[in-house]
Amino acid sequence: MALFPDPFNTLLGLQTALDTFRTSGWLQSSPSGGGSYPPLNVFRKGDGFVLIAEVPGIARSDLDIQVKGRTIRLAGRKSVQYSEKASLHRRERLSGRFDRSITLPIEIDPDAVKAECHDGILALSLPRAEQDKPRSIKIG
Amino acid sequence: MPDEHEIAVREKQELAKKEEKTIPGRYYVPTADIFETEDALTVILEMPGVEKQHVDIALEEDTLRVEGQIDFSKYQGMEPVYTEYNIGHYARAFTLSGKIDRDGISAQLDDGVLTLTLPKAKESKPRRIAVN
């Protein structure tokens, strides 16, 4: 029995462990909203937040918005269609499905969330939940 | 199904200025699709946030210029806390061939997607020649 472990064996073991970690799908985006499309901007407005995303060409019926606690999930599908006989010269617009979620530092009142979609811009107004609002305490 | 893959995020590309703009603000290149059918050339541009009255389409000689202005007043009173993309106006120019029927160009804006239909001039449409 060797007193010290074989350095090559150790290195190989580490490499194998890293490889399994990398290929296990553990880090890959899962159906539970791990994607990064669409890009979002979050603004503070009064007590709550406003979340804005660019969703050009996505039909309202293809957008699925869910709110729970502090997390918002945006899922859907974007399709880009061409007429059948067309020959493409340039293709930059992307199509496919998307599913992402974002967690905010405040709790959201899910019943008061308003979603608007105009000109390819999705705006979600996310008011802070009543029980999450800070209470001011008077000194008696 | 080719539609099933997940969309990757594409970062907005800032417009390399060839000439000075008279309106302050950043300009971005809208993503575009161009395809051709027998009768027309179609240009589709994604300009999210641009309203109909703020789209400017101009045709000078052989250059078709499309500009879309963003209404920044909508963002007033809001403090950005987390940002993933930049907001700015859109501008892009295309060089047309002479085969376009200039008077027949039409444009439509739906959900931030501008569709330009450039009908082909009659003489450049393919003609079927029957063999006797």
Side-chain angles (χ1 to χ4, degrees):
Chain A
M1 201 183 105
L3 201 56
F4 299 105
D6 179 10
F8 290 104
N9 245 337
T10 316
L11 192 62
L12 191 69
L14 175 70
Q15 193 62 54
T16 323
L18 279 173
D19 280 349
T20 38
F21 183 66
R22 206 161 46 88
T23 54
S24 68
W26 201 80
L27 288 172
Q28 264 146 40
S29 53
S30 57
S32 57
S36 53
Y37 183 92
L40 306 169
N41 281 346
V42 183
F43 298 87
R44 196 201 308 272
K45 195 180 187 184
D47 269 341
F49 283 97
V50 177
L51 185 148
I52 294 177
E54 292 189 335
V55 288
I58 300 175
R60 283 164 208 218
S61 52
D62 283 343
L63 265 172
D64 180 24
I65 305 153
Q66 291 172 5
V67 178
K68 192 188 178 214
R70 293 159 185 264
T71 306
I72 300 120
R73 178 177 173 223
L74 281 176
R77 166 184 306 283
K78 179 180 173 180
S79 53
V80 172
Q81 271 157 4
Y82 311 98
S83 59
E84 243 168 58
K85 283 183 182 169
S87 61
L88 287 168
H89 294 312
R90 189 176 272 276
R91 191 173 181 179
E92 293 173 2
R93 297 166 67 214
L94 301 165
S95 66
R97 59 178 175 77
F98 56 89
D99 191 339
R100 84 170 286 189
S101 57
I102 183 166
T103 304
L104 293 180
I106 59 159
E107 221 158 284
I108 303 148
D109 180 1
D111 298 322
V113 172
K114 267 185 243 139
E116 276 179 58
C117 195
H118 292 295
D119 301 310
I121 296 274
L122 174 74
L124 290 179
S125 92
L126 307 159
R128 196 166 188 169
E130 205 54 53
Q131 75 266 17
D132 195 41
K133 281 186 184 164
R135 304 257 182 285
S136 36
I137 288 141
K138 284 204 178 105
I139 302 167
Chain B
M1 234 171 103
D3 207 35
E4 270 312 298
H5 62 89
E6 202 155 318
I7 307 184
V9 176
R10 192 198 297 256
E11 205 153 306
K12 277 194 195 173
Q13 197 192 341
E14 196 159 359
L15 184 76
K17 282 174 190 167
K18 286 202 184 86
E19 65 242 350
E20 292 295 319
K21 292 277 177 199
T22 46
I23 303 161
R26 282 167 192 269
Y27 275 82
Y28 292 95
V29 181
T31 49
D33 279 354
I34 301 173
F35 62 84
E36 191 177 340
T37 55
E38 250 177 53
D39 315 306
L41 193 70
T42 308
V43 180
I44 302 176
L45 295 151
E46 287 188 345
M47 303 201 284
V50 177
E51 285 169 41
K52 217 188 252 175
Q53 63 268 30
H54 295 134
V55 181
D56 185 30
I57 305 158
L59 183 65
E60 296 165 27
E61 299 194 3
D62 279 341
T63 314
L64 178 76
R65 269 173 216 287
V66 184
E67 243 187 77
Q69 305 286 339
I70 293 280
D71 183 7
F72 284 105
S73 65
K74 284 182 185 162
Y75 292 93
Q76 252 159 27
M78 300 206 291
E79 182 200 341
V81 285
Y82 173 71
T83 55
E84 287 180 349
Y85 66 90
N86 260 317
I87 308 158
H89 308 301
Y90 297 95
R92 195 159 179 172
F94 302 91
T95 308
L96 301 179
S97 73
K99 298 173 208 153
I100 300 290
D101 172 15
R102 280 139 190 281
D103 300 323
I105 298 175
S106 62
Q108 203 185 340
L109 186 68
D110 294 302
D111 295 327
V113 178
L114 180 73
T115 308
L116 292 171
T117 312
L118 313 157
K120 286 186 190 169
K122 273 200 185 109
E123 54 267 32
S124 68
K125 272 187 201 167
R127 244 178 307 165
R128 205 166 278 281
I129 292 145
V131 182
N132 291 321

